Amino acid sequence: MENDNDEFSKELNVAVRVVHMVCSLCQKVQKQLLSSNNSNQIKSKDDDSLVTVADWSVQATVSWMLSEAFGGQNISIVAEEDVQTLSEPESSAQLGMVVSAVNECLAEAPKFGLKGPNEALGATQVLEAINRCNSTGGPVGQHWVLDPVDGTLGFVRGDQYAIALAMIDDGEVAIGVLGCPNYPVRDDSLIKYSQQCPVMSEMSSREEGCVMYTRKGSGKAWMQPLIHSDKRLELQNSARTIHVSSIDDPALATFCEPVEKTNSNHSFSAGIANTVGLRKQPLRVYSMVKYAAIARGEAEIYMKFARAGYKEKIWDHAAGVLLVQEAGGVVTDAGGTPLDFSRGIYLEGLDRGIVACSGLKLHEKIIEAVYASWESSNL
Ligand SMILES: *[C@@H]1O[C@H](CO)[C@@H](O)[C@H](O)[C@H]1NC(C)=O
Ligand SMILES: *[C@@H]1O[C@H](CO)[C@@H](O)[C@H](O)[C@H]1NC(C)=O
Ligand SMILES: *[C@@H]1O[C@H](CO)[C@@H](O)[C@H](O)[C@H]1NC(C)=O
Ligand SMILES: [Mg+2]
């Protein structure tokens, strides 16, 4: 962002501002959700995963803002949510909440240095904006990739979640932006908050979460505190560069993994940890905040081993992977091959799992341990 001639600097600039906008939206919805115990705002999708008013509202807002900033209706956006559930007659209450959350957020656009709509959007336009994100990506051209709320379970529990926005250019992740509303910029904040206590109640009211962003090939990644529309917009000035940890001794390394056993085999990763000589207890964290923790140097290792047959989606990884890489780290599948974002909505060909590390030395050890352990397990 420091040089306007750099490729995709406009895209990055807009993406960062839009993510700040929707972080505010999510914070408001999360507060309401936790204070009113408003189960009205949560729906089950067909696969039993949760989706909230925030997921749809963020997707509609980002879709509308990107379309406005970059050439109208035919930009390609790959995103998690569709309009099926929200379009059903039983969902009219949710749709109403989404429409008002979207309009409230879009009305703030000028305060973030962006252009909002001239008049409030109606339900049809909001559904259209959500539905426009139906691209399936691929190897050619530019595709935006969005997980409107990553870690919905963390979100509804008042814990960690992330808004993840990336852009893939000819099959490679070119920019990545991660909004982490419950991850304060202060050092060690994740370790402090993740010891089984709900984040919201622990965060002091003056602490802000962060937005992290990067551009491929810059060799740099940045972090800023969340900026609210009522503050002066100081996107550039408030940013500082972040870097991975320099710890390469397994005995001192911290490793992160998903909170839920259904998302990653905890006993397999415990075996790896033991083989490699990791001493600390795993840090179990919801959402792509795990990648953020590696990029910021608060943890050294992130391992995820999903059940056999599970296909990882690009929106769950694109922004986080680029952040770790540009901050100096390394991310591959469990066989040591870089992740392939060029093959549609899934990370096709992924070997067993995902390993992100602060440096090559730790990474090599983990991959070796995976090979050694695999024979004896039946994942
Ligand atoms: C939008 O559509 C036009 C005409 O079909 C095409 O030339 C252009 O490349 C498209 N833009 C994007 C971003 O897909
Ligand atoms: C994707 O959405 C656009 C705009 O809403 C629509 O015209 C198109 O038919 C949709 N494509 C698919 C594959 O559903
Ligand atoms: C998890 O990994 C262990 C080996 O560490 C294996 O025995 C077990 O079957 C795996 N669980 C699942 C659900 O795949
Ligand atoms: Mg999601």
Side-chain angles (χ1 to χ4, degrees), residues 55 80-81 147 149-150 152:
D55 301 62
E80 182 169 18
E81 306 307 335
D147 192 341
V149 176
D150 179 52
T152 305

Side-chain angles (χ1 to χ4, degrees), residues 6-27:
D6 284 320
E7 200 181 16
F8 303 132
S9 68
K10 183 181 181 208
E11 282 81 359
L12 183 58
N13 195 301
V14 171
V16 169
R17 288 163 196 263
V18 170
V19 168
H20 275 286
M21 279 173 66
V22 293
C23 280
S24 293
L25 186 165
C26 287
Q27 286 181 305

Side-chain angles (χ1 to χ4, degrees), residues 147-162:
D147 192 341
V149 176
D150 179 52
T152 305
L153 194 54
F155 178 79
V156 300
R157 290 182 174 171
D159 206 312
Q160 295 296 343
Y161 65 100

